[in-house]
Amino acid sequence: MIISYQWLLEYLPEAVPVNELSNILTSIGLEVEAVEAVESIPGGLDGLVIGEVLTCQKHPNADKLSVTTVSIGSPSPVQIVCGAPNVAAGQKVVVAPVGTTVHPTEGAPFLIKNAKIRGEESAGMICAEDEIGLGKSHAGIMILPPDAVVGTLAKEYFKIPETDFAIHIGLTPNRSDANSHIGVARDVCAYLTHHRGNRHIVKLPETGVMATADLAATPIIKVHIEATEACPRYAGISLRNVKVGPSPEWLQQRLHTIGMRSINNIVDITNYVLHEYGQPLHAFDADKIGGKEINVRFLPAATVFTALDGKERKLQDNDLMICDANGPMAIGGVFGGLNSGISEGTTNVFLESAYFDPKHIRRTSLHHGLRTDAATHFEKGVDINNVLPALKRAATLIAELAGGEILPGITDEYPSPLQPTTVNVTYSYIQKLSGKAYHHVAIQEILIASGFEIMHETKEGLTLKVPSNKTDVSQPADIVEEILRIDGLDNIHIPGRLHIALTKPMHSDRNARERMAELLCGMGMQEIVTNSIVNSKYYPENTSLVKMINSLSSELNVMRPSMQEGGLEVIQYNCNRKSQDLSLFEFGNTYATYSGKYVQEAALGLWITGNVTAGQWNQKSQPASIFHLKGILGNLLNYAGISNTPVAYNNADGNNEIVWKWKNQTLCVAKQVVAATLGRFDIKQDVFFAQIQWDLWMKAQAANKISYREVPKFPAVRRDIAIIIDSAVSYKQVQETTEQLKLEQLQSYNLFDVFESEKLGQGKKSYALSYTFQLQDRTLTDTETEQLMRQLMDVYKNKLGAQIRE
């Protein structure tokens, strides 16, 4: 397999030098056999410059030579003896100065040296097009337009593409997932993510023109799959007013780098997408499809079919055929037919993208001796979920490069969707087979970066959903191979004496605590450790305390029933020493007695006080608040993937408290510490405290699956409104009213301003709200956005009695 270096860089989030990239590919099992420089013009016009002929006189000693002085942008002009009959003063020309290696269209390259020709000094060469590889004419020198700028490098003037490199990879048969540029890019990104510490995501190509197409309409060409075992999925789309012609230079150059010749823009696009996504495509002349229908079926044995090469072939009864109402048009996944392909006169195209069973394709391909690119890809196995993305990509390119118009309706016959493969693997098995004690977090990071989804995790191991592009992964040994590859096969340690280290896997609870601590530290908090034995005077009315029988002192005589007081002692200590801006957290246990039974529960406490943001010359300091603490807890819930947690607000009896529940159990509580409690610790500033019930948190985290989706390709739309409501109406009521609409397009909303004034009316306030709308598959129109905003405004008016501020 050949990969274009410049092409591959289009999908990587950062450029990687070709030598480093070659080492990375070999390290992850994509062995690089050779790297060859590929230039669109031999030599790339290196060293050549644009010059101007200042003077031109006949050579005193030769009738057919001229002595010229030429400006090439250097401080002084150079003298060049030229034999071209068309050279004259005032011309803009291409000059090869002394020291330049010239690469002619035919013949070997040669170096330009200082020379004396018939007694006259010559310091360079004024070039003809065949002398520098730009053509075959040798009738005279190249004469450029008058606006050519003297001193400009010739490769810049002619816009010569950057030197590309053809990377030859010895792809093993099991690596069908890397049988494309995007497939290789995925592996490289996984390697970079693991070794450089930040997430590298493949930059997938745009299919923007598809957003305007009405894909839900009824397709013009109907598709029926009779042989579902050989063709589980078949998709297609129609385009009209296509202009078949030469491909643009960049497309021809991409194909040239990987050893393919350009045919025409339509065929080139299907080949381009094949090597981009690894998904074979086929383009039919839509006007030649009889009955405007396609049937995917087997035909009787000995049926005669005339293929694209003009040869007649007798079919087997297990050759999968793409047929119209009149008969066969193509051998599915192998070769096209003579009478249905793209020609110079084609104006309407039906584009096919399908998944064909590898066994059927290989049997047919070998029997008929048709070893096509499409067949070899299908034989190794392609990603069934790439059928639509590749189809949309090709349709977009045809619309852009061939002037085609995408017609309404996209066909996607997929009667029995593929069920994803799941694999169970234990950490001990990974260590045993790899011989390396990977940290559990490192294993998960590698697998997630490689496209695996962790469906379930225990202290022993993982249940993984295998990405559909990895058709060879089906057992635990394959998972270990993936980990070793992305870690780098060069990093496999070969000890002098092989041994198996038996280690106990780290408990998942400990992993979760470590990840949570890292997240909290990243939010500017500091971890503390306090004594779980505290003073009973903090809890004068608590009757469920666990008392110490043999306490070491009268001040440390009970086990803590809450995390709160230990943190308040730390805050008191720091405030007394003028360290008043604090954000703290602690993992610990709380203790109580109920009906004579001792209860121990794991908990996580958080405290914030003082300023959470220090004042600067350009901003004021931001004091801690319960809303800041609420935001921290919201981040933790999102990180853990915990959803369905109703929030309740309690402001009765002077409390300022927020409670999150999960399955009707209290998951966490955030509150402002009451003044009486602060007084017992002699703390003179507000403190906000939250406690998470850790055991319940772990259950909630295990029960909620984190799902991932592609970053939207289409822009979001933001709209703002201001509503006037009664002062008694809380923001929680606004939230509940908003969410009752269940607007699919509404991605997020937030309150960004609260305004109260007598001008609004007695007992009134104004909320300023911002909404973000977005779809995954297309851009929202202004009309659609206004309709969504109208729904929101209507529900606020009807249920909250709101007025919309104009």
Side-chain angles (χ1 to χ4, degrees), residues 17-29:
V18 65
N19 290 335
E20 181 183 351
L21 180 65
S22 176
N23 292 334
I24 290 174
L25 293 175
T26 299
S27 182
I28 59 180

Side-chain angles (χ1 to χ4, degrees), residues 534 538-539 561-570 607 677 680-681 689:
V534 295
Y538 296 150
Y539 315 98
S562 166
M563 300 293 294
Q564 176 178 283
E565 285 67 29
L568 292 177
E569 288 181 341
V570 174
W607 301 259
T677 301
R680 285 198 287 268
F681 290 88
F689 167 71

Side-chain angles (χ1 to χ4, degrees), residues 3 6 215 244 270 287 303 351 499 613 682 686 729 747 768:
I3 291 292
Q6 294 293 344
L215 302 181
V244 178
T270 61
D287 295 328
T303 300
L351 198 58
H499 65 282
T613 302
D682 195 27
D686 290 339
V729 177
Q747 299 300 311

